[in-house]
């Protein structure tokens, strides 16, 4: 029996993926009811409303909840490809297919010599931990593009750059995949793709960049790291409000602007560290680009004044790519992200009412989830620094003793 071959067999992985994804589909199609608020309303109400506007050839210029780069219109319009289905059903099917595409890419990579199926297992296990939210947002589609870009990077740098540029115009964050890229062709392809798409949408659809002015009065979202200040402050009589604002539930009131500014400053510090790392890094290996992208997105997510549950899909996808490489250094942070994903589904949607009320359970879940994200971020950053910047200890040369005359002659020659 080929034990090594059995260990690399994807049979169990495919069965696990099929069962968990069937369950997700049954939840979003409402065959089964998932606990908490209905997460599919974003598709059937918000996305479909945008779809109706986008079909007229213009962006939602008067809707402050539209906060996405112009290529996001393609994701919102994509259910038109399955016009024989209702909009929401078609969207769920396309999200399912994006999930399948990621699995196929990770499987193909993991079965190659020198690679590992651990990455595919991270994806198979991690996605259902977030519950039906994964199929009720277009982030899984963006993640598929980012995974494809990272896996294409080594052999097809221009393709990788094109995908990064396209991903950045879908939801901005894929631009962070460039943080460890050294090939000029990748940077050029990303820039040309992003600029080309921006110009195309600007010329053909009015309001392509109206979203840039829609977030001036944002508060601090109730699930973010900074929100913990107000969750605690509410226990001591803080005079503020929790309101639906700019499409998310946010804290509004005294001191919110200060905490939001602090979050932006923390993000700036995090990216300053990334720049320092890029200048100091001297050892780039096959897995470095994926590791650095994972760290960059962790930094962005953890310090953001908005941490929506679907952001975890990005981290699961990037963690999965990291673990495709046997020599990668992100196993610990990836496992922490999986645990944080499970806590995330507890705080949203299952116990989201407790989070909004800032009661003991809600605050505990947020402290735990955000604490796990901070731990994953710090550990991942330390591992990246050690593997690329810190000098590795030199291995001592073997000491030869008691050489015979003939051996000394042999060595000297």
């Amino acid at each position: 029996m080929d034990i090594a071959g059995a260990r690399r067999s994807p049979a169990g992985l495919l069965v696990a993926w099929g069962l968990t994804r069937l369950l997700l589909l049954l939840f979003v199609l409402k065959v089964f009811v998932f606990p908490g608020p209905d997460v599919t309303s974003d598709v059937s109400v918000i996305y479909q409303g945008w779809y109706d506007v986008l079909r007229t050839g213009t962006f939602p210029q008067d809707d402050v909840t539209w906060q996405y780069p112009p290529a996001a219109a393609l994701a919102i319009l994509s259910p038109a490809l399955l016009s024989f289905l209702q909009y929401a059903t078609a969207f769920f099917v396309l999200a399912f297919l994006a999930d399948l595409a990621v699995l196929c890419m990770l499987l193909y990579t993991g079965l190659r010599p020198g690679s590992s199926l651990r990455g595919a297992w991270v994806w198979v296990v991690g996605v259902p931990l977030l519950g039906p939210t994964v199929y009720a947002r277009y982030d899984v589609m963006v993640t598929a593009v980012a995974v494809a870009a990272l896996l294409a990077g080594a052999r097809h740098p221009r393709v990788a750059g094109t995908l990064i540029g396209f991903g950045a115009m879908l939801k901005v964050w894929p631009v962070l995949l460039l943080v460890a890229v050294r090939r000029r062709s990748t940077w050029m392809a990303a820039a040309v793709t992003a600029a080309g798409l921006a110009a195309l949408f600007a010329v053909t659809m009015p309001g392509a960049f109206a979203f840039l002015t829609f977030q001036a009065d944002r508060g601090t979202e109730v699930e973010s790291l900074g929100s913990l200040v107000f969750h605690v402050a509410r226990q001591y009589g803080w005079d503020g409000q929790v309101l639906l604002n700019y499409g998310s539930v946010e804290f509004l009131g005294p001191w919110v602007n200060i905490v939001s500014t602090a979050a932006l400053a923390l993000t700036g510090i995090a990216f300053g560290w990334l720049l320092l790392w890029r200048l100091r890094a001297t050892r780039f290996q096959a897995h470095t680009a994926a590791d650095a992208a994972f760290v960059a997105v962790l930094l962005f997510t953890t310090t953001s004044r908005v941490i929506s549950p679907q952001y975890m899909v990005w981290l699961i996808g990037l963690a999965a790519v990291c673990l495709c490489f046997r020599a990668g250094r992100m196993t610990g942070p990836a496992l922490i992200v999986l645990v944080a994903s499970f806590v995330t589904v507890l705080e949203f949607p299952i116990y989201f009412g407790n989070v909004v009320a800032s009661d003991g359970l809600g605050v505990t879940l947020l402290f735990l989830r955000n604490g796990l994200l901070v731990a994953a971020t710090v550990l991942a950053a330390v591992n990246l620094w050690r593997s690329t910047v810190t000098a590795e200890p030199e291995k001592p040369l073997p000491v030869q003793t008691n050489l015979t005359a003939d051996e000394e002659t042999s060595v000297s020659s």
Side-chain angles (χ1 to χ4, degrees), residues 282-308:
T282 56
R283 294 192 304 277
F284 288 80
Q285 303 176 61
H287 57 84
T288 301
D291 289 354
F294 182 46
V295 171
V297 177
L298 270 170
L299 287 167
F300 171 81
T301 302
T302 303
T303 61
S304 175
R305 57 181 173 172
V306 177
I307 304 181
S308 297

Side-chain angles (χ1 to χ4, degrees), residues 264-352:
L264 292 173
L266 193 58
T267 300
I269 293 171
F271 286 122
W273 180 89
L274 272 178
L275 177 60
L276 177 64
W277 167 79
R278 188 64 180 81
L279 294 173
R280 295 286 304 278
T282 56
R283 294 192 304 277
F284 288 80
Q285 303 176 61
H287 57 84
T288 301
D291 289 354
F294 182 46
V295 171
V297 177
L298 270 170
L299 287 167
F300 171 81
T301 302
T302 303
T303 61
S304 175
R305 57 181 173 172
V306 177
I307 304 181
S308 297
Q310 60 267 27
Y311 291 11
M312 300 300 296
V313 183
W314 317 343
L315 299 176
I316 293 170
L318 298 182
V321 176
C322 292
L323 266 64
C324 283
F325 298 94
R326 290 187 179 276
R329 301 288 295 273
M330 296 298 159
T331 300
L335 293 176
I336 296 174
V337 164
L338 291 182
V339 178
S341 297
F342 175 68
V343 180
T344 296
V345 80
L346 294 179
E347 62 91 0
F348 183 90
I350 296 177
Y351 295 112
F352 191 59

Side-chain angles (χ1 to χ4, degrees), residues 41-130:
S41 61
D42 273 20
V43 176
S44 58
V45 178
I46 298 175
Y47 283 15
Q48 189 160 2
W50 291 338
Y51 173 83
D52 292 336
V53 175
L54 290 166
R55 287 178 62 192
T56 66
T58 183
F59 283 89
Q61 299 182 65
D62 300 320
D63 186 349
V64 295
T65 63
W66 175 263
Q67 300 162 17
Y68 308 107
L74 300 177
I76 304 303
L77 290 169
S78 63
L81 297 171
L82 303 176
S83 57
F84 54 92
L85 296 174
Q86 292 183 344
Y87 180 88
T89 303
F91 186 91
F92 300 145
V93 170
L94 292 172
F96 167 84
L97 292 176
D99 179 358
L100 177 60
V102 174
L103 175 70
C104 291
M105 290 185 284
L106 294 171
L107 267 178
Y108 176 78
T109 302
L111 290 171
R112 293 173 58 187
S115 298
S116 171
L117 285 176
R118 295 181 307 158
W121 273 111
V122 166
W123 182 253
V124 168
V125 173
V127 166
L129 290 178
L130 292 171

Side-chain angles (χ1 to χ4, degrees), residues 160-293:
T162 300
L163 289 169
I164 291 172
F166 177 56
M169 294 304 290
L170 278 172
K171 205 165 186 180
V172 180
W173 69 265
V175 74
L176 297 172
L177 273 59
L178 289 169
V179 67
V181 171
R182 296 187 295 171
R183 291 177 182 249
R184 184 178 300 176
S185 58
T186 303
W187 280 85
M188 288 296 297
V192 169
T193 302
L197 285 172
L200 177 64
F201 280 107
V203 170
T204 60
M205 294 182 69
F209 294 95
F211 75 97
L212 294 174
T213 64
F214 285 168
Q215 302 194 43
D217 298 319
R218 287 210 73 145
T220 293
E221 193 256 348
V222 296
E223 297 168 86
S224 66
L225 185 63
S227 75
L228 295 174
V229 173
F230 301 110
H231 282 293
V232 173
R234 290 179 86 184
Q235 315 305 317
Y236 298 94
W238 175 71
D239 184 21
Q241 296 177 297
V242 178
L243 296 174
L244 183 64
N245 190 47
Y246 291 94
S248 65
V249 181
E250 298 181 349
F251 283 116
L252 298 173
W255 307 102
V256 170
N257 61 332
I258 295 176
V259 172
S260 296
T261 301
L264 292 173
L266 193 58
T267 300
I269 293 171
F271 286 122
W273 180 89
L274 272 178
L275 177 60
L276 177 64
W277 167 79
R278 188 64 180 81
L279 294 173
R280 295 286 304 278
T282 56
R283 294 192 304 277
F284 288 80
Q285 303 176 61
H287 57 84
T288 301
D291 289 354

